[in-house]
Amino acid sequence: MTVPPQQRIKIAVQKSGRLTDNSLHLMETCGLVYSRGRDQLICFGENMPVDVLLVRDDDIPELVAEGICDLGIVGMNVFREKVADGMDVRPELELDFGRCRLSIGVPRGFDYRSPQSLEGLRIATTYPRILQDWLDTQQVNAEIVMLSGAVEIAPRLGRADVICDLVSTGSTLLANDLVEAEVVFESMAALISSNGGPAEGWPARLVSRMRGVLSVRESKYIMLHAPRSALAEIRRLLPGSESPTVMPLEGRDDKVAVHAVCRENVFWETLEGLKAAGASSMLVLPVEKMLA
Ligand code: PRT
Ligand code: ZN
């Protein structure tokens, strides 16, 4: 059945950048099969009335605020900056990629002690609103030098004394003889919607599927054998599990089988702790789908 174009929904995703692959992969994990248009600007959903619009990340909040797109995936840094600028959008879900921090970087040898060390200085950034809010909270007066790129070379060019830029590995700061002095804002990718929230129907269904995909990524199914006497301790050690299923073991009155969905990752330390408490035959399995 063909869905009329006006009933198709659109989700805005970064066209080409750090968030593109993870965003498209998330859409695929939500079940979307799409073909990419010849102009490369739209991914046309083949099995759902959902199209993906590929745009610059800076345009995503506006497309969502204006209702041109129902949902968007963008860094919280871009989202926060636009909201501070008065844009009417809200985050629906924090996503598990695109992690970075907006940090103050100072030239090596700069005697940084506290935010007050920035008093009266020029700070180069692409995020003037977030920076100004932070400076206000810290009660620091500084001059913000707005740049649209190449922020890290501003001190060397004499355009600013220090910078406020995104950092992930720290290698860009290092290469420019800068030192990370203070984290202003921790960021990650987020799913955003207009302020009324996602509309009933496909927008709401997509949000719910994404929530499911995220909780699956953090979940494991764990199976083990446990002495009946250690059951309370073993339940306590199972990370983030709700009510585990406890089953008898054929021919063994002293032992039971325990199955549980754990909402946090199960690490070797957890398994070692369970073993020390008497658990045996432990199996940890990935969960493929989950819908609350
Ligand atoms: O073309 P378009 O406008 O869409 O892309 P863009 O160039 O504005 O954005 P892009 O693709 O660079 O980043 C998109 C989003 O990814 C950002 O808004 C952040 O939410 C997130 N992100 C995660 C990052 C980084 N990590 C990151 N390291 N964005 C930028 N950087 C830059 C940073 O500005 C600096 O130049 O990488 C450099 C620092 O990296 P490290 O690893 O050397 O510390
Ligand atoms: Zn951008």
Side-chain angles (χ1 to χ4, degrees):
M1 192 184 77
T2 326
V3 177
Q6 65 273 22
Q7 284 175 25
R8 296 186 67 86
I9 74 151
K10 290 190 199 69
I11 170 158
V13 160
Q14 191 185 23
K15 181 170 190 266
S16 157
R18 286 166 203 265
L19 305 181
T20 308
D21 289 351
N22 281 317
S23 304
L24 290 176
H25 183 246
L26 179 60
M27 298 303 300
E28 288 159 23
T29 324
C30 286
L32 183 69
V33 176
Y34 59 80
S35 54
R36 209 157 166 167
R38 217 177 306 151
D39 58 4
Q40 303 276 304
L41 295 178
I42 285 199
C43 296
F44 186 80
E46 292 181 345
N47 60 339
M48 306 178 198
V50 176
D51 298 327
V52 180
L53 214 63
L54 298 163
V55 292
R56 286 201 57 192
D57 68 343
D58 316 75
D59 296 333
I60 293 174
E62 201 166 343
L63 287 167
V64 173
E66 288 180 356
I68 295 165
C69 290
D70 303 78
L71 298 165
I73 296 178
V74 73
M76 280 299 282
N77 45 303
V78 172
F79 167 82
R80 264 280 299 268
E81 187 68 22
K82 300 284 182 178
V83 166
D85 219 5
M87 204 164 282
D88 211 14
V89 276
R90 74 174 202 194
E92 271 324 306
L93 270 182
E94 288 186 338
L95 305 174
D96 56 356
F97 56 87
R99 279 183 196 281
C100 57
R101 47 204 192 272
L102 184 65
S103 291
I104 301 285
V106 301
R108 185 181 310 286
F110 182 104
D111 183 22
Y112 186 88
R113 287 157 194 249
S114 72
Q116 275 59 43
S117 306
L118 303 171
E119 185 71 32
L121 299 186
R122 293 167 305 157
I123 313 177
T125 191
T126 315
Y127 297 92
R129 300 276 186 168
I130 302 179
L131 175 59
Q132 188 61 62
D133 284 352
W134 182 78
L135 289 170
D136 290 347
T137 326
Q138 304 298 329
Q139 298 183 317
V140 170
N141 287 306
E143 183 191 334
I144 296 178
V145 180
M146 166 64 189
L147 297 178
S148 52
V151 171
E152 62 279 0
I153 59 170
R156 243 186 306 148
L157 297 179
R159 297 188 71 183
D161 304 296
V162 301
I163 68 164
C164 176
D165 198 13
L166 296 174
V167 180
S168 52
T169 62
S171 55
T172 304
L173 287 183
L174 197 67
N176 288 282
D177 241 358
L178 297 165
V179 177
E180 187 173 3
E182 195 85 56
V183 176
V184 168
F185 180 66
E186 300 263 8
S187 186
M188 67 195 70
L191 178 72
I192 62 168
S193 72
S194 65
N195 235 344
E200 290 293 302
W202 274 104
R205 268 173 93 173
L206 261 188
V207 175
S208 148
R209 284 192 190 186
M210 280 193 199
R211 203 168 271 130
V213 167
L214 293 176
S215 50
V216 158
R217 283 181 187 164
E218 289 166 4
S219 298
K220 293 280 180 276
Y221 192 77
I222 181 162
M223 304 194 281
L224 53 84
H225 290 174
R228 263 186 202 282
S229 56
L231 206 50
E233 171 68 355
I234 284 173
R235 284 178 69 158
R236 195 183 61 74
L237 290 171
L238 285 173
S241 74
E242 282 144 29
S243 314
T245 309
V246 179
M247 290 163 286
L249 278 174
E250 187 67 24
R252 296 288 303 258
D253 287 339
D254 58 331
K255 280 196 166 187
V256 287
V258 178
H259 290 196
V261 174
C262 294
R263 288 302 182 102
E264 295 159 38
N265 236 325
V266 181
F267 297 105
W268 282 108
E269 289 74 14
T270 317
L271 295 183
E272 285 159 2
L274 288 165
K275 187 169 182 203
S280 58
S281 307
M282 285 178 271
L283 276 181
V284 180
L285 307 173
V287 176
E288 193 177 299
K289 285 194 180 58
M290 192 188 272
L291 201 62

